[in-house]
Amino acid sequence: MNNNRLVVSYILWLACFMGFGGLHRLYNGKIGTGLLWFFTWGLCGIGQFIDLFLIPSVVEEHDLRLQARSGRLPQPLPIPRATPTPRVVPPTKDQLTLNLLKAAQKRGGKISVTQAVLDTGASFPEVEKILQEMVKGGYADPENDPSSGIVIYNFLEL
């Protein structure tokens, strides 16, 4: 940031006490708001007061505009490239069936749909479909838990 421009801007800001509000904005290339501040006494002093804190950023913005016009902009930081997210391949039907059997084996040969979803990461419809196919194939026997009423799939061979 140009320190000389900053000092001059603050001095011009002080000109508001002599009835010349907005000179600091005109000096930093903000013509429209500079004229508005000039004819409204710095928006009745409110805008002028706020500018007391905004002057460093206004000066920096003006310096960047001048550097851009002259082709002397600082080198920008490199933009990091997005790393490709790995594509998650859902398990095949056979893999999911095997995962369900392993989950049931860990639970003593009995598993509910919710437990199977938690253990395999598959969706409820996927798990229910495979469990129903196992029932039709004679690999599992559904029963209701006497205390909760939840359907438990019992794998007799495990």
Side-chain angles (χ1 to χ4, degrees):
M1 180 177 357
N2 187 341
N3 286 333
N4 292 336
R5 180 171 288 283
L6 185 63
V7 171
V8 170
S9 294
Y10 275 115
I11 291 170
L12 290 173
W13 180 88
L14 288 171
C16 72
F17 294 112
M18 295 181 284
F20 299 109
L23 292 180
H24 62 287
R25 285 188 162 269
L26 292 169
Y27 178 67
N28 285 297
K30 300 228 176 240
I31 306 301
T33 56
L35 291 173
L36 179 66
W37 261 237
F38 185 79
F39 291 113
T40 61
W41 296 283
L43 292 175
C44 298
I46 296 170
Q48 193 74 20
F49 176 74
I50 292 172
D51 276 354
L52 178 63
F53 304 102
L54 295 180
I55 285 178
S57 63
V58 170
V59 169
E60 185 175 353
E61 181 183 328
H62 184 67
D63 284 345
L64 286 174
R65 253 183 291 152
L66 290 177
Q67 288 176 3
R69 283 188 200 141
S70 67
R72 295 180 294 122
L73 274 178
Q75 291 298 322
L77 295 174
I79 298 172
R81 293 181 181 227
T83 56
T85 56
R87 197 178 117 204
V88 178
V89 178
T92 64
K93 180 181 173 186
D94 291 337
Q95 290 171 330
L96 186 55
T97 302
L98 184 60
N99 290 342
L100 282 170
L101 288 172
K102 287 179 181 178
Q105 185 178 29
K106 289 180 186 175
R107 297 177 182 276
K110 296 182 179 191
I111 195 165
S112 72
V113 174
T114 304
Q115 291 168 336
V117 167
L118 287 173
D119 289 350
T120 63
S123 69
F124 279 93
E126 290 173 315
V127 168
E128 285 178 327
K129 181 180 176 186
I130 290 180
L131 287 172
Q132 289 299 322
E133 288 175 5
M134 291 177 150
V135 168
K136 288 179 185 174
Y139 301 108
D141 185 30
E143 57 186 45
N144 284 22
D145 183 63
S147 60
S148 65
I150 295 173
V151 176
I152 301 292
Y153 292 87
N154 188 9
F155 293 87
L156 302 173
E157 295 178 14
L158 296 180

